[in-house]
Amino acid sequence: MSLDMTQVLTLLQEHQLLTATVGNQGRQFTSVTYDSRQVQPDTLFFCKGNFKPEYLTAAKAAGATGYVAETVYPEGAGMTAITVSNIQQAMALLGAAFYGYPQNDLFIIAFTGTKGKTTSAYFEHHIQRTHTHDKAALFSTIDRVLGNQPDQRFKSDLTTPESLDLFHDMRAAVTNGMTHLVMEVSSQAYKKNRVYGLTYDVGIFLNITPDHIGENEHPTFADYLFCKEQLLVNSRTCIINAETDHLEDVYQAAKTSTPPENIYLYARKGAKLQLPLDLDVQFSNDEETLKDSAFDVQSISDKAKSLALDGTYALSVPGDYNESNAASAIIAGALSGATAAEMQTALTTVHVPGRMEMVTSSQYGTIYIDYAHNYASLKALLSFLRRQTDAGRVIVVVGSTGNKGVSRRKGFGKALSEEADLAILTTDDPGYEDPRAIADEIDSYIDHDKVQVAFEMDRKTAIRKAIEMSTKNDIVVLAGKGEDNYQKVNGVNTPYETDVTIAKNVVEEN
């Protein structure tokens, strides 16, 4: 793989990003990176994000011969300097070119939404693995799966990786024999141009509620919604949950670049929609328990009927809210050529790490661990558990992230007030904030006439207290962390045992 200056200049000029070039115009680059520690001879280095000039000095010393930036740096004297108006967009375009446009060799199915992206992506990945005989890659919040060997599967650090990493991993997936890719696309991926220029074969919009609004994320809800909608604008075929809030905005965004015949709307049977739109697919619940559920999927429009996806599906992941996620995956699977039989088989064996994990105990209440990390997801989880368990008390251990998702704190207070009996407020990923201050803010939104509140900033101790105060008829919900094995504290990923491990250890000790 390589990139020469002719390709670089042509691409940047085509997208009106190039502002100037200085130095040798005949360079050939055999490596690209934004990390000075990964520089090799003849590397094209990108000065992006939290860039410091000393990074360029280090890159030059390691053999970088060119750099791309929004300004010229004296530290890059002697290198070919390529200045652009937007470094993130330039990096995405040049990264795709360097890795030979691997997206062209993959059928890409992408999910976005405030909640449900990861679960839906896992549903879809299982469908595609069955349909393609294990030739499906996955880019998710939890795992990055580039192939079928153990060393081709690893934990993710971002829901949607930086563009250079994204195209590098796509190329690796193609090299490993993958033909399909299922990926989550975050609003930050569009805000920071990580997926600039990328087109998806199928784009799925699950839902939108206020989240990720704060000084380090989206300045307003309108900006958040706009970034979410860009997935539909950049998809050849769109699938939209017609029960989402702001349906009119979402549907109009899809129509800007996708003809109506390539837009599929789905919803639960009998749902009240914000717009008088005709559904293509509807689903209805047959049976649900704490371990699984069964639901019917029915085509309504002629274009949906041609997909031959009708039938009853059994889902191994509990929660009536997950049936909507599964319905979106079924439509996407059918669009990729998967049969109803393949999808019915696949969905019975899905396991999503950190989603509705259950730990049972003969002495204490039943413990549920879930990544629920905003109002919509925590409300859906707690209300489902109440309906299914006839619980004595609902005891919830929860915190909130620092320096991002500030609106979640009010949402947690609201969900706890509506569905919990006792809340232990604790630490999540506090970042650079004081965990107790975050907990106090959540507490300010809780109705104390309905919910008893306790504080314990050591999360492990909070989990132990919640379990040990429970009785057999209670349920204990550990929310927000799922199977995360670290906590982000003052810029450091601090090792953490995971909520699941801690819960199991408490039960086993007693």
Side-chain angles (χ1 to χ4, degrees):
M1 290 173 284
S2 65
L3 198 61
D4 61 41
M5 281 295 290
T6 299
Q7 293 172 281
V8 170
L9 299 180
T10 299
L11 272 172
L12 296 178
Q13 287 169 341
E14 284 178 349
H15 289 81
Q16 298 180 330
L17 291 170
L18 184 68
T19 57
T21 59
V22 178
N24 187 342
Q25 304 295 298
R27 299 280 194 193
Q28 179 102 2
F29 304 105
T30 56
S31 175
V32 292
T33 187
Y34 57 85
D35 187 340
S36 60
R37 296 165 297 184
Q38 297 178 0
V39 169
Q40 304 170 17
D42 296 320
T43 288
L44 180 61
F45 182 72
F46 291 88
C47 306
K48 70 95 190 169
N50 296 318
F51 173 76
K52 297 178 181 178
E54 52 261 39
Y55 298 158
L56 183 57
T57 300
K60 180 180 176 181
T65 52
Y67 70 93
V68 184
E70 293 181 0
T71 189
V72 174
Y73 291 97
E75 291 82 0
M79 303 171 70
T80 299
I82 304 161
T83 55
V84 295
S85 56
N86 188 308
I87 183 62
Q88 291 280 165
Q89 292 180 1
M91 188 167 72
L93 290 172
L94 299 178
F98 179 82
Y99 288 109
Y101 300 102
Q103 66 268 38
N104 295 339
D105 298 319
L106 294 163
F107 187 95
I108 304 178
I109 299 172
F111 291 86
T112 200
T114 301
K115 64 172 183 171
K117 293 189 299 297
T118 300
T119 300
S120 301
Y122 268 78
F123 291 162
E124 189 63 49
H125 187 234
H126 272 64
I127 288 172
Q128 293 304 326
R129 285 186 62 191
T130 301
H131 170 55
T132 65
H133 304 289
D134 288 332
K135 294 181 180 179
L138 172 68
F139 297 174
S140 80
T141 299
I142 302 174
D143 291 316
R144 199 86 48 81
V145 180
L146 309 184
N148 297 317
Q149 300 305 312
D151 63 350
Q152 295 166 354
R153 182 181 189 126
F154 48 94
K155 293 298 178 184
S156 297
D157 53 354
L158 289 171
T159 296
T160 311
E162 286 286 0
S163 56
L164 288 189
D165 302 322
L166 180 72
F167 291 113
H168 170 277
D169 287 355
M170 283 186 183
R171 174 50 61 198
V174 172
T175 300
N176 295 335
M178 303 296 102
T179 59
H180 289 58
L181 168 63
V182 178
M183 63 183 291
E184 297 178 49
V185 181
S186 65
S187 58
Q188 286 293 297
Y190 276 105
K191 185 70 175 173
K192 297 185 177 181
N193 288 297
R194 294 175 189 155
V195 290
Y196 182 76
L198 183 60
T199 300
Y200 316 97
D201 292 284
V202 180
I204 301 99
F205 192 101
L206 298 171
N207 47 66
I208 184 80
T209 57
D211 198 5
H212 298 287
I213 299 166
E215 59 179 346
N216 296 321
E217 296 183 284
H218 298 279
T220 63
F221 177 77
D223 184 74
Y224 176 54
L225 174 60
F226 173 81
C227 290
K228 285 287 189 191
E229 291 171 341
Q230 297 316 297
L231 180 133
L232 299 176
V233 174
N234 290 282
S235 295
R236 296 183 178 93
T237 300
C238 299
I239 300 170
I240 300 171
N241 176 7
E243 296 180 71
T244 185
D245 290 342
H246 303 277
L247 176 59
E248 183 172 6
D249 286 333
V250 173
Y251 186 66
Q252 292 301 326
K255 285 176 63 179
T256 60
S257 58
T258 305
E261 60 267 26
N262 289 341
I263 301 174
Y264 291 77
L265 296 170
Y266 75 96
R268 189 180 297 273
K269 186 176 181 180
K272 293 183 180 179
L273 307 183
Q274 293 179 352
L275 294 177
L277 295 173
D278 293 328
L279 292 178
D280 298 292
V281 176
Q282 67 180 12
F283 64 95
S284 56
N285 176 267
D286 276 356
E287 177 184 351
E288 63 184 13
T289 71
L290 282 170
K291 293 185 178 179
D292 52 29
S293 65
F295 61 102
D296 284 327
V297 176
Q298 178 186 7
S299 301
I300 299 173
S301 67
D302 289 340
K303 67 184 180 186
K305 290 177 181 177
S306 69
L307 298 176
L309 50 72
D310 290 26
T312 300
Y313 293 80
L315 188 61
S316 62
V317 180
D320 51 357
Y321 48 90
N322 280 320
E323 293 162 4
S324 178
N325 296 329
S328 72
I330 289 165
I331 300 168
L335 286 166
S336 76
T339 66
E342 288 173 332
M343 295 190 287
Q344 287 165 329
T345 297
L347 291 175
T348 61
T349 59
V350 180
H351 170 250
V352 186
R355 267 66 174 178
M356 277 294 284
E357 303 271 9
M358 182 169 65
V359 177
T360 58
S361 165
S362 59
Q363 182 177 354
Y364 303 118
T366 305
I367 305 154
Y368 297 92
I369 300 96
D370 194 271
Y371 187 64
H373 62 288
N374 54 38
Y375 169 75
S377 55
L378 186 60
K379 167 72 174 180
L381 171 67
L382 296 181
S383 61
F384 170 74
L385 290 174
R386 272 201 182 279
R387 289 196 307 272
Q388 286 293 317
T389 62
D390 294 322
R393 292 181 302 169
V394 175
I395 303 169
V396 183
V397 177
V398 68
S400 192
T401 53
N403 306 114
K404 70 174 187 176
V406 176
S407 60
R408 296 174 185 174
R409 301 170 193 181
K410 182 176 181 179
F412 281 143
K414 182 180 179 184
L416 292 168
S417 298
E418 292 170 350
E419 302 292 346
D421 297 296
L422 192 154
I424 299 181
L425 301 181
T426 188
T427 301
D428 190 297
D429 290 334
Y432 293 94
E433 289 193 61
D434 176 3
R436 178 60 193 240
I438 295 173
D440 285 339
E441 187 172 350
I442 297 172
D443 182 58
S444 72
Y445 296 111
I446 294 176
D447 184 342
H448 293 88
D449 292 333
K450 297 179 179 178
V451 186
Q452 182 183 348
V453 177
F455 294 84
E456 174 52 65
M457 291 304 102
D458 180 79
R459 191 176 181 95
K460 181 176 181 178
T461 302
I463 291 171
R464 177 177 292 277
K465 286 182 176 179
I467 294 172
E468 291 181 346
M469 72 171 55
S470 68
T471 64
K472 291 182 181 179
N473 293 327
D474 297 335
I475 62 172
V476 178
V477 178
L478 313 180
K481 291 291 289 178
E483 289 195 350
D484 287 354
N485 60 359
Y486 62 87
Q487 288 183 310
K488 295 181 179 179
V489 182
N490 293 322
V492 177
N493 286 346
T494 305
Y496 175 70
E497 292 177 75
T498 78
D499 287 359
V500 177
T501 300
I502 293 169
K504 288 179 177 178
N505 289 342
V506 172
V507 169
E508 289 171 3
E509 289 170 9
N510 293 277

